[in-house]
Structures are given as C-alpha cells and as structure tokens.
Amino acid sequence: MAPGIPHQLMADAALVEELAGVAKDAALLHGVQMRTQESPNSSELVTYAPFTLFPSPVPRGAFQQALAVQVHYNTLVDRISQDADFLQAALASTVGVDAFTARLFKIHQQVLEEGTAQPVVLGLNRSDYMLDQKSSGPPAVKQVEINTFAASFGGLASRMPDVHRHILKVAGRLEDSGRILDNGSAGGLAKAIATAWELYGSERAVVMFLVEDRQRNIFDQRCLENQLWSRNIPTKRRTFGDVSKTGFLNPDKKLFVGGQEVAVVYFRNGYMPQNYQSEEAWEARLLMERSLAVKCPDIRTHLAGTKKVQQVLAQPGVLEKFFPEQAGVAEQIRATFAGLYTLDLGPEGDRSVDLALAAPDNFVLKPQREGGGNNLYGADLLRVLQEVKGSEERLAYILMEKITPAPVHNILLRRDAPLTVSACLCELGVFGAYVRKGADVVMNECVGHLLRTKSSEHADGGVAAGVAVLDDPLLF
Ligand code: ADP
Ligand code: MG
Ligand code: MG
C-alpha cells in the first residue's frame, strides 16, 4: 500500500463521521457541486459532487512525468488533426462498421471539401493515466486514453485542493495539508478559450457552450463561464435544439445562434450517439463545423481523439513521423503507452484475438465510444470477442492491455452512501490547452490535473457515470 493517510485514521468511525460532515460542507462552500439526478435543470436542488474524504497518494515522479509530456500530447493531437491522409488511413476500417464514427467522418470530409473557414484552432484535452505496478523500475504512468472532446471536471478540480486542505487540518494533519498542490485547470482552460475569442476578433460575439439537455454538471462549466465573464467575454449556453431552431450562417459563414454572433463553440455535448436525437442535431453539428466560429474541438480534432487513432499511434514508427524535428519527444510520449493491439482483419489482428482469448483478464476490449461504461472486461470481453472474431464486426473495437494500478484505501463520499473504507484505484488526468492560428502556435500549455478515484470493484466508468469521485493527489 502506498504511503498516504494512515489506515488507523480511516478506521476511526466517530472521527470519519465528523470529518465527512465537515468535508461535505467544505465542498459546498468551495463550489464542488452538482445538480441532482431528480432535478438536473434547476439549481434549487444541488448537492456536492462526489469526492474522496482524503487525498490519495501519488508518486511524485509519475505525476511529473504526466505533466511534462502534456505539451507534446497537445502538439501530437494538433498535428494529427491536420493530417487528413493519416486520419483517413487510421479510421478506414472503423468507419466501415461503426455508424457513429462514420457519421463524424462524413462531416469531416464535407468540411475538407468545402475548405476550413477558420484558421484559429482551440484544443482543450485531458490525457488520462493509471500507474502501472507491473512495470519494473519506478512507477510509470500509462495512458488510458486522451479526451479531445468535452473533457470535463477542469472547473471543479480547481476547487478541490481547498476542500482537502481543510479536511486534513481538521483531521489534525497540518503537514499533509501543506502538501496538496494548487490546481489551475479552470483558469488555464478559460485562458485558452479567451485567447481564441480574442483572435476571432469581434467584441460582441459570444463563446457558446454547447450543452446537454440534462445539465447536472453545470457548475463545472460555470467555473469556466465565470472566468470568461471576469475577462469581459460574453458566454451563452445553447443546446443542439437551440442551434437547429435559430442557427444560421451569413454569407461570410459567420455563425449566428439566438440572434448572436458566435466566436467560439465549446462543445460539452455531442460525443455520444444518443446526443444526436434527430437528423436536425446532426445538421446543427455540420452547420457549426462549416462556420467561421472557432470550434473546440473541430471535427478533425474530435476524430484525432478516437480510440482507434490511439491504437494506430502505438504501431512502430507512427509517432516518430509526427515529430521529425524533435528526436526525444516521440520516445517521451511512447513511454506512456500501454499495450495497444489492432483487430484489423489479417494475421496481426488474428494474433490480437488469440492473445485476448488466451488471457481475457489481461485486456480491455474498447469500442469507439466515450463517457464511460462502454468497454468490455473478463467474461464480457470473452463472449463478445468470440462473437465478432470471425467477422468485420471486430473492426469496431481495439484491444488494450489492462493496466493494473496498486490499490489505495479511501472513503468515497457520495449522496446517501455509507462511510466505508474501500480499496480504490486512481486515474490521473492532465489538462492540456493550445491555440494555433494558421502556422503560429499561440499557446501550448499543461494547465492542471484531475485525480479521479473509484472503488476497485468497478472496472469502468468516470465521475459523470456515477462510478468515480473527485480526488486530489498527495505526492510522495
Ligand atoms: P471513456 O472514453 O469511456 O472514458 P476509457 O478508455 O477512459 O473510456 O475507459 C473508461 C474507464 O475504464 C477508465 O476510466 C478506466 O477506469 C477503465 N479502463 C479503460 N482502459 C483501461 C485499461 N487499459 N486498463 C485498466 N482500466 C481501463
Ligand atoms: Mg474518453
Ligand atoms: Mg475515460
């Protein structure tokens, strides 16, 4: 067990009960909040976003490794997004069998043919890692995935350090309290959006947050909205329905929604098939992509974040092509890769199938989906892979080595849940933000982090999926 908060302290039921009360109030005071399941579209009823009672131990070296590689991941995503031939080749097999990816790809092709209206690119991503305990030597981070679309919790993560510092002080652990790092994710993400807005160059134009119909995680987004307003940048929340009803492009391809010109579309919705309830929603997406507004992400950057692209990047020599001028960078990125295996038809894909069938517990089978709860493990992996192994259907998936981090102990605070100590797994996310105008990279930064922790009995799922909770690293 990694050095963290002593087990003895977590086992003191009376103290834990007292601390949990203090913690929940601290979370509410600092804005670590969510709307409730029952009333996702009203702030009359809010609760704390689920979080750990204590920060979880994370080795300093691994944490710094993840932070240091982030600017290179930003560059990588940006370069992939500009390489239409690479995207076409990487996604060709997937597009043949996965209707959702195919639909996105079609939008990409339409925009390519028409020509991109806007030279400004805004990328906000979050690269997620687990600490692999299998690797020999000091613990190293292994990437789970990179999210280039609607990577969330940068807002609330910025509010967490004050909550954990306070809990630790009340728990009599003043020294540990001083070890909790600040987290500038909200400010950094907002700075990048603000930069893109300025480059668009119209004071009246708004930053449009394209949001879900059910808005439980609104406070995370409000953190960014309010940062923008404090810079006197106007923001508006709109849904796909709003864009369908009132959106249009003027002859210069300027996007107007609800009568207002849109400088930046910041997508917080649109990454799942069920986000597109109708043809109108797809038409709205295409309208935004064709427009002069800066999209975060644009369709190419969306596709660059697919799991299939992640798998292709792990093949020998691919990463190196994206960094011809910087020898060490590809190695630095590759050091964070877990094993990734193609399921393309042919001998290589057949070998992946055999590997997974022989040891299903060592692998994860991943479709091209986001938002948690879509991957297959163990018996499910075995069943599905048996079903699809002889057909094209297997092209919808990639195979990934299962990363096995060392468990840590913590107490997960969520509404109406008992206060029990559980064995947990942590996932470290690192936020990257970049802005490019034509050939000029105007900003490329690592802006903050997110630690999410879940009980080790759950294989999959994030905070929004109701499995993981917000945490803070306690470096050692
Ligand atoms: P999503 O886009 O749905 O978040 P992820 O690839 O992040 O998809 O997978 C969801 C969750 O499944 C992760 O947060 C992690 O808990 C678990 N997971 C994914 N890949 C692996 C892996 N290779 N090893 C262990 N756990 C994994
Ligand atoms: Mg994802
Ligand atoms: Mg994920």
Side-chain angles (χ1 to χ4, degrees):
M1 197 63 56
I5 303 302
H7 202 259
Q8 196 181 334
L9 198 157
M10 293 195 200
D12 182 339
L15 178 63
V16 163
E17 173 107 22
E18 184 195 334
L19 289 176
V22 167
K24 290 171 191 177
D25 289 343
L28 291 169
L29 275 170
H30 288 290
V32 181
Q33 304 191 24
M34 266 183 155
R35 285 177 176 167
T36 59
Q37 191 84 42
E38 308 87 281
S39 79
N41 289 334
S42 152
S43 292
E44 298 302 312
L45 272 183
V46 298
T47 184
Y48 56 93
F51 66 106
T52 56
L53 183 56
F54 299 109
S56 294
V58 172
R60 187 181 299 274
F63 182 78
Q64 281 165 351
Q65 181 198 3
L67 258 52
V69 76
Q70 185 57 43
V71 292
H72 302 314
Y73 267 117
N74 292 345
T75 303
L76 177 62
V77 168
D78 188 34
R79 289 184 181 170
I80 293 169
S81 79
Q82 294 170 77
D83 192 336
D85 293 338
F86 173 81
L87 280 175
Q88 160 97 44
L91 293 170
S93 60
T94 313
V95 161
V97 292
D98 185 73
F100 182 61
T101 311
R103 192 81 202 244
L104 295 174
F105 197 79
K106 194 173 149 204
I107 292 179
H108 166 56
Q109 284 176 312
Q110 279 169 278
V111 175
L112 265 185
E113 272 164 35
E114 196 174 312
T116 311
Q118 176 54 257
V120 177
V121 170
L122 165 63
L124 304 179
N125 66 59
R126 199 189 68 222
S127 182
D128 291 335
Y129 306 90
M130 283 174 159
L131 267 179
D132 197 13
Q133 63 171 10
K134 284 198 299 284
S135 48
S136 51
V141 289
K142 293 290 171 196
Q143 189 185 49
V144 173
E145 60 154 352
I146 190 161
N147 294 291
T148 62
F149 196 113
S152 60
F153 293 108
L156 297 189
S158 287
R159 308 291 179 103
M160 283 304 300
D162 280 336
V163 177
H164 276 133
R165 282 179 192 132
H166 182 66
I167 298 166
L168 289 175
K169 283 183 192 170
V170 178
R173 301 192 66 85
L174 186 62
E175 252 174 60
D176 283 336
S177 166
R179 288 163 59 202
I180 306 253
L181 304 167
D182 281 333
N183 189 357
S185 47
L189 297 172
K191 182 176 113 180
I193 299 174
T195 303
W197 178 85
E198 277 159 21
L199 288 171
Y200 181 89
S202 165
E203 275 196 6
R204 268 163 304 137
V206 301
V207 174
M208 180 172 82
F209 283 51
L210 198 284
V211 299
E212 322 87 306
D213 293 324
R214 287 173 60 83
Q215 303 179 22
R216 269 199 82 189
N217 199 19
I218 191 167
F219 297 105
D220 183 49
Q221 298 161 5
R222 292 283 197 213
C223 287
L224 305 188
E225 285 177 62
N226 290 11
Q227 292 260 359
L228 290 167
W229 278 108
S230 74
R231 294 167 179 259
N232 300 321
I233 297 175
T235 72
K236 269 282 172 195
R237 301 173 64 80
R238 307 277 192 201
T239 63
F240 274 117
D242 296 329
V243 177
S244 300
K245 277 186 221 108
T246 70
F248 68 90
L249 305 189
N250 81 357
D252 304 328
K253 290 197 188 175
K254 286 181 178 162
L255 173 66
F256 289 81
V257 179
Q260 278 170 310
E261 184 178 351
V262 177
V264 178
V265 182
Y266 173 42
F267 285 101
R268 291 295 295 251
N269 186 32
Y271 52 91
M272 297 198 262
Q274 54 269 40
N275 298 151
Y276 299 85
Q277 292 285 350
S278 61
E279 262 321 288
E280 285 79 48
W282 281 111
E283 279 161 24
R285 176 76 191 266
L286 179 62
L287 184 84
M288 292 184 272
E289 293 296 338
R290 291 181 54 227
S291 78
L292 194 66
V294 181
K295 277 76 61 179
C296 179
D298 56 22
I299 187 73
R300 322 154 156 217
T301 308
H302 185 177
L303 290 170
T306 52
K307 293 176 172 76
K308 182 61 191 176
V309 164
Q310 182 187 10
Q311 179 262 304
V312 172
L313 285 173
Q315 300 206 312
V318 177
L319 207 44
E320 287 70 13
K321 280 203 202 116
F322 286 104
F323 294 96
E325 81 289 14
Q326 299 151 284
V329 170
E331 273 164 56
Q332 197 181 340
I333 294 175
R334 195 174 288 282
T336 66
F337 283 0
L340 288 150
Y341 307 87
T342 180
L343 289 171
D344 282 357
L345 301 175
E348 207 191 334
D350 292 344
R351 267 197 302 280
S352 310
V353 170
D354 293 342
L355 270 176
L357 292 179
D361 289 334
N362 295 347
F363 294 93
V364 185
L365 187 62
K366 298 191 169 188
Q368 308 305 308
R369 291 292 176 274
E370 298 291 332
N374 300 297
N375 301 330
L376 298 156
Y377 305 82
D380 295 328
L381 177 155
L382 206 53
R383 180 176 46 79
V384 171
L385 199 53
Q386 287 286 9
E387 271 167 33
V388 304
K389 69 175 181 187
S391 74
E392 282 202 330
E393 277 179 77
R394 83 183 199 198
L395 302 176
Y397 301 89
I398 62 151
L399 185 69
M400 187 171 180
E401 168 198 354
K402 189 158 158 193
I403 310 164
T404 46
V408 298
H409 279 129
N410 214 325
I411 295 167
L412 309 186
L413 301 180
R414 56 159 56 95
R415 209 173 153 208
D416 301 327
L419 294 173
T420 47
V421 181
S422 25
C424 297
L425 303 180
C426 297
E427 186 170 337
L428 174 68
V430 179
F431 288 101
Y434 60 91
V435 179
R436 176 171 54 79
K437 182 174 185 188
D440 291 338
V441 176
V442 181
M443 171 180 171
N444 178 10
E445 291 178 21
C446 167
V447 296
H449 58 272
L450 168 74
L451 192 69
R452 290 174 300 166
T453 296
K454 65 179 186 190
S455 165
S456 58
E457 70 213 32
H458 295 288
D460 210 295
V463 179
V467 173
V469 307
L470 302 174
D471 197 348
D472 268 301
L474 192 62
L475 300 187
F476 69 92

